Amino acid sequence: MTTLAVWTLMREGATLDLAAATTRVGLLLVVYLLFTLVQRFLMRHPVLRSVGLQLNLLALTLLILLLLRPLFDQMNVHVRSAVQAMAVFLAVSVGLKLLDVLVFEQLPRWRNRPQVPLVVRDIGRLGLSVVALVLIVRGFFPGVNLNVLAVSSLVVGYIVGNATQDTLGNLFSGLALNTERPFQIGDWVSVSGHTGIVVDTTWRATRLRTRGNDYIVIPNSAIAKESIINYSRPTRSHGCYLSIGVSYNTPPNKARSAILQVLREAPEVCREPAPSVYLTGYGDFAINFTIKFFIDDYARVNQIESNVMDRLWYAFKREGITIPFPIQEELQRNATAEDEARRVAEQEHAQALLAGVDLFHSLSPEEIKRLVSRTKLELFAAGERLCRQGEPGDSFYIIRSGRVAVSIDDASGHPVIVAHLGEGGFFGEMSLLTGEPRSGTVSAETDVEVVCVSKQDFAGLLQANADLAGKLAAVLEKRAAERRSRLTTSAPNESAPPTRSVLAARIRRFFGLG
Ligand code: CMP
C-alpha cells in the first residue's frame, strides 16, 4: 500500500521530497514490525486470536494514514478516502468479530449453554458487514451510484452462483438445518448411515465424531435429504431393546422376574421410565423375550447392553434358566472315570472349604460331608449384590473363588465398606441362624463362586445335634466381637451385639427347636 501511495504520487507529478518519504516509510515499517511482535504475544488470548488478521490490517492502515499523511495530502483525494474507508471498514469488522466471539462463544461457555452454530453467526456477521460497507461507501464517496453497484453485484452474483451451485446448496441446507434445529452440537445422531456426536456445522458440512473417534464430514445438502435420528432429543434418555430366548422348561414369569431383577440391579439402567420385558413369541426352540430399558448415556450404549447381557447370563445360571442352542444334539453319556474323579475332587474341595469355617468347627466330618451334599454352587458377576442390608435372608455363603465387599449404611444411608472377603471367607451367618434381616450388604468385587448353605440344610443338623445351637451362638458372638474391634471409631449403625445366650435362644426359636 505504501509503494502504491508513492507510485500514485509520482504519477500525479506531485513534488515529492524523496528523503523525507523514505524516512517515513522506514518509520512505518519499524512501527508495524513492532506492532506485529506485540500482537504475537497478544494472540495467546483466544478472543484476540480470532481477530488476528483483521487487527493486523487495521493497524497497518492506521499507521499508513498517520505516518504517510503528508504524502496523502499531496495525492488525489479519492486515494485518501479509499484508505480511510478501508480503515473504518476494518475497524467495524474487528468490532463485529469481537462481539460475535464474546456473545456467542464465551458467554454460552460461562453459562454452560449450547453454542450458536457457526453458519448462523457467519451469515449474521456477513449481513452486518454488507450494511456497514454500503454506509461507508456512501459516507466517503457520496458521488458513487449505489444502484449501478447493486446491479453489477447482481450480475456478478448470478455468475458466481451458477459456478458454485453445490456450495450454495450446502449453504442453504446448512441454514435450513439451523432453522429447523433437528440436532445441536453435542447430540448423538444417525444420518446417512453414520452414527456419531455432532462436533460442528459449518457453511458446507456437518462434522460427526464416531465411536471409533474418527471425524465424518457430511455435506449439509446430503443431510437435508436424509432422515435423521437424534438420540439426544427430546431427552437424553434412550430406549434400548434386547432379545433373549429361554428354554421351554422355564415358566415365563420366572424368566421375566429374573430379567427385571437384573435390570433393577444394573447401575447404568434408568429407574424411570421403568424397564419392561415382553414375551414376543414361542420360537422353534425357545420362548423369546424382548427387553426394553432406558439409559441416559447414549455414548456408552454398546457397553451398557453388553453389561446387561453379561448379568443376564450369570442370573440365568443361578436360577437354573437355560438359554437354548438353535440346534440341540442329545448326547447320552455314561459318567466316565474322569467325571467321577472330578466330582470326588470337587466334593473334597467343598468339604475342606466348609471345614475351614469356624462356624462348622463343632461338626463331625460325617456331618460336614452330609452338609456338602446339600449345598449349591452359585455364580455372581462382578458388581452384583449377593445380599442387601435390611432384607430377609436364609442363606449362608462361603466364597469358593473371587472377592466380595461388605458394606453397612451410615446414618445418612450411604454405604461404608467395612470388610473385604476372599476365598474361604464367609458371610450371611447372622440371618441364616437367627432369622434377623441382613446386617450388611455384600457385593461382588470380581466374578464370584460361592457355596450356598440354606436354612433347610442346617435344620437337619440342628435337630440331630442338641448342643449345636449353643456352639453356633458362641461362634456368632466371637465373630460379632471381632467385627466390632475391627471397625473404625464410629461404626455406622452398628448396635451393641447380642450375647451368646440371647443368640442361642434366637437360633433355637428360629429353627423351632423349643
Ligand atoms: P448377615 O447379617 O446374615 O448378612 C450380611 C452379612 O455381612 C452378615 O451376616 C455378616 O456375615 C457380614 N458382615 C456384616 N458386618 C460385617 C463386618 N463388619 N465384617 C465382616 N462381615 C460382616
Side-chain angles (χ1 to χ4, degrees), residues 26-344:
L27 185 64
L28 172 93
L29 288 178
V30 172
V31 179
Y32 175 64
L33 262 173
L34 277 176
F35 174 80
T36 310
L37 283 177
V38 174
Q39 196 194 12
R40 276 184 148 223
F41 175 74
L42 293 176
M43 284 302 105
R44 288 190 195 152
H45 196 283
V47 176
L48 289 177
R49 197 165 42 232
S50 64
V51 288
L53 181 65
Q54 288 109 311
L55 199 64
N56 195 283
L57 285 177
L58 176 64
L60 181 62
T61 320
L62 289 176
L63 284 174
I64 288 172
L65 277 175
L66 212 71
L67 296 175
L68 303 188
R69 196 191 166 131
L71 301 185
F72 277 119
D73 287 346
Q74 297 174 37
M75 279 189 224
N76 182 328
V77 68
H78 292 315
V79 177
R80 197 176 59 214
S81 299
V83 181
Q84 282 170 343
M86 186 185 279
V88 176
F89 182 68
L90 283 169
V92 171
S93 296
V94 170
L96 282 176
K97 182 76 191 178
L98 281 178
L99 207 67
D100 168 44
V101 173
L102 284 173
V103 175
F104 296 115
E105 239 177 75
Q106 302 292 325
L107 214 63
R109 200 168 294 155
W110 292 330
R111 292 186 170 179
N112 231 346
R113 294 261 170 82
Q115 288 194 2
V116 177
L118 214 57
V119 63
V120 174
R121 289 162 49 190
D122 284 353
I123 287 183
R125 238 185 27 249
L126 185 74
L128 290 175
S129 301
V130 170
V131 172
L133 191 64
V134 170
L135 293 177
I136 291 168
V137 171
R138 273 231 167 118
F140 282 91
F141 306 98
V144 171
N145 185 344
L146 281 173
N147 291 340
V148 175
L149 254 185
V151 171
S152 33
S153 310
L154 273 179
V155 174
V156 172
Y158 178 76
I159 296 165
V160 172
N162 267 326
T164 57
Q165 236 174 25
D166 277 358
T167 316
L168 284 182
N170 282 327
L171 166 66
F172 286 117
S173 305
L175 273 177
L177 286 179
N178 281 291
T179 328
E180 269 179 46
R181 294 171 84 82
F183 51 72
Q184 289 181 16
I185 291 165
D187 284 358
W188 274 90
V189 295
S190 257
V191 64
S192 300
H194 303 290
T195 300
I197 189 164
V198 180
V199 179
D200 55 28
T201 301
T202 63
W203 292 84
R204 199 190 75 76
T206 294
R207 204 150 44 125
L208 305 185
R209 199 177 63 229
T210 65
R211 275 184 222 292
N213 218 15
D214 301 315
Y215 279 145
I216 294 187
V217 182
I218 309 174
N220 290 335
S221 54
I223 296 180
K225 284 183 212 141
E226 298 271 342
S227 41
I228 304 164
I229 305 176
N230 189 335
Y231 301 103
S232 310
R233 310 277 150 181
T235 62
R236 291 260 148 203
S237 94
H238 165 75
C240 300
Y241 293 84
L242 296 177
S243 300
I244 197 160
V246 303
S247 92
Y248 272 97
N249 297 333
T250 314
N253 276 342
K254 181 176 173 182
R256 187 177 287 111
S257 69
I259 296 169
L260 284 173
Q261 181 63 24
V262 165
L263 295 173
R264 273 195 289 271
E265 294 273 330
E268 305 103 330
V269 171
C270 296
R271 302 286 153 258
E272 282 299 324
S276 34
V277 178
Y278 307 102
L279 196 161
T280 43
Y282 293 105
D284 290 342
F285 55 89
I287 306 177
N288 295 321
F289 289 92
T290 295
I291 305 169
K292 180 182 170 194
F293 59 90
F294 286 84
I295 60 171
D296 52 19
D297 185 3
Y298 184 79
R300 296 190 58 239
V301 62
N302 293 343
Q303 184 59 53
I304 297 173
E305 288 184 351
S306 161
N307 288 350
V308 168
M309 285 301 225
D310 281 358
R311 282 165 177 250
L312 281 172
W313 187 91
Y314 286 97
F316 279 9
K317 187 91 181 158
R318 279 197 302 278
E319 298 288 333
I321 300 173
T322 34
I323 304 172
F325 295 95
I327 300 164
Q328 277 195 333
E329 241 180 89
E330 209 167 299
L331 289 179
Q332 295 243 325
R333 274 196 327 150
N334 291 329
T336 59
E338 204 181 296
D339 292 335
E340 182 56 19
R342 194 176 311 122
R343 196 188 63 76
V344 171

Side-chain angles (χ1 to χ4, degrees), residues 475-493:
V475 179
L476 287 190
E477 185 190 46
K478 186 165 152 254
R479 247 175 87 81
E482 273 172 16
R483 221 185 283 147
R484 274 185 84 73
S485 69
R486 256 186 283 125
L487 285 176
T488 44
T489 44
S490 60
N493 280 358

